[in-house]
Amino acid sequence: MRVLVALGGNAMTSPDGTAHPGDQVRAISEAMEHVAELVAAGHDVVLTHGNGPQVGNLLVKNEVAAHVVPPVPLDWCGAQTQGTIGFTILDALEPALARRGVARPVAALVTRTLVDVDDPHFQAPTKPIGRYLPADQAQQMIEHGQQWEDRGDKGWRRVVASPEPREILDLGAIRALVESGHVVVAAGGGGIPVVRETDGSLRGVEAVIDKDLTAALLASALGCDILIIATDVDHAMVDYGTPQERPLGFTSLAQMQSYAADGQFASGSMGPKVDAALRFAESGGRSIITSLEHITDAVESDFGTVIDSSPED
């Protein structure tokens, strides 16, 4: 089977969320052991990943050094983290495959994602990123063209647009690598957001694209059989936080759509993952939400929350 695995941010940092380089290397090395098991089971695998902690570190560097060098734009931060995380994944995945006797080449591709220049999110940015700052430091960043909001006692926080992903611009290269037998890392952090100008040229923009929505788009475009959204829990839950709380196993597309419509999944946590999973299932694929440790079980035996597009009996 062709499987796209979207790795959550928990796969890239230590358990307490710190993003020290050594912590990231160890976490990614552990994650690649699970990915290698899936490849060793005979599946074609494409990887995407989050980059929130890594971009967060770059934003702090922007803020600290703003009086010395101009801050780099957010699309540049995305490109830098795609490169850093990509090569770290390759360094960990190659030996993990070798230990299992698997001779599969691996590649990481810096990937651009097209968004609409007139996406309404650009007119009213709401996606908070980075750390809170006092008003005087936030003002310094505002003078560099950034948008910040007063969040009360916590201080000021930057907000950016989170537009819909429309097209994976480097799809041809990704497909060629997959079809030549590579395990491919692509579209990290949702892809580098770019817009197309009226003359056809491309321009990077200050935005954050939801990485799971891009994963669903990429999985459909590549004709993947399964999209796995790897997170830190084995299953999505309904009635979360109540005495009726229960995990979801195999679930029809219609039933999952109903749960989502009822507001069962919080917008700040499981909601975007379910949204992405539904989009891929609606295109005819099978989506699975589960923990990284169980990605092979998910493919081989439908472990986790499985959303299937087949009609209900």
Side-chain angles (χ1 to χ4, degrees):
M1 290 189 182
R2 181 172 293 179
V3 182
L4 191 145
V5 180
L7 299 172
N10 61 296
M12 306 293 159
T13 61
S14 63
D16 64 0
T18 58
H20 184 281
D23 294 329
Q24 294 184 59
V25 169
R26 283 187 289 274
I28 290 172
S29 295
E30 180 178 344
M32 289 309 103
E33 293 295 328
H34 301 296
V35 173
E37 287 291 339
L38 184 58
V39 177
H43 303 288
D44 294 328
V45 175
V46 180
L47 297 175
T48 67
H49 58 79
N51 64 350
Q54 292 78 13
V55 169
N57 279 352
L58 292 180
L59 294 178
V60 172
K61 292 177 182 179
N62 275 349
E63 294 155 10
V64 171
H67 65 291
V68 180
V69 294
V72 299
L74 197 54
D75 49 314
W76 284 35
C77 293
Q80 290 177 44
T81 56
Q82 280 190 6
T84 301
I85 296 172
F87 101 84
T88 307
I89 286 176
L90 301 189
D91 283 354
L93 183 54
E94 286 178 338
L97 292 172
R99 285 192 291 273
R100 291 162 175 80
V102 177
R104 292 286 296 274
V106 297
L109 189 69
V110 172
T111 311
R112 300 162 297 169
T113 300
L114 184 69
V115 300
D116 290 337
V117 69
D118 57 354
D119 188 296
H121 291 90
F122 285 116
Q123 303 305 315
T126 59
K127 175 70 174 179
I129 61 170
R131 60 178 183 163
Y132 293 91
L133 290 180
D136 59 333
Q137 294 182 38
Q139 182 58 41
Q140 187 175 41
M141 304 310 294
I142 292 171
E143 291 170 1
H144 282 285
Q146 297 179 4
Q147 186 164 340
W148 287 67
E149 288 185 348
D150 185 355
R151 296 298 179 97
D153 292 342
K154 290 185 175 181
W156 287 65
R157 199 172 186 196
R158 187 180 179 189
V159 290
V160 299
S162 184
E164 282 279 323
R166 297 300 183 190
E167 181 183 352
I168 311 298
L169 292 176
D170 302 289
L171 177 64
I174 298 169
R175 181 182 286 118
L177 287 166
V178 172
E179 292 180 353
S180 67
H182 286 72
V183 179
V184 182
V185 185
I192 304 163
V194 300
V195 297
R196 195 179 300 280
E197 305 284 24
T198 55
D199 64 0
S201 61
L202 297 169
R203 170 175 58 88
V205 290
E206 296 258 30
V208 173
I209 305 172
D210 185 279
K211 61 97 177 169
D212 291 318
L213 296 185
T214 297
L217 183 64
L218 179 58
S220 295
L222 289 173
C224 292
D225 303 289
I226 295 175
L227 167 65
I228 298 179
I229 298 178
T231 183
D232 55 358
V233 295
D234 290 345
H235 301 80
M237 311 289 284
V238 290
D239 297 325
Y240 182 75
T242 74
Q244 292 74 43
E245 176 180 302
R246 65 190 188 281
L248 292 174
F250 193 95
T251 309
S252 72
L253 174 59
Q255 182 62 73
M256 201 67 173
Q257 289 170 327
S258 178
Y259 287 140
D262 288 342
Q264 284 281 354
F265 310 109
S267 60
S269 55
M270 190 58 70
K273 296 174 175 59
V274 170
D275 186 8
L278 286 172
R279 293 187 189 196
F280 183 67
E282 287 164 357
S283 73
R286 173 171 289 195
S287 297
I288 305 176
I289 300 172
T290 194
S291 58
L292 177 62
E293 293 79 4
H294 288 291
I295 58 174
T296 300
D297 297 330
V299 174
E300 301 280 295
S301 58
D302 288 338
F303 183 90
T305 298
V306 181
I307 308 170
D308 193 85
S309 57
S310 301
E312 295 182 90
D313 294 333

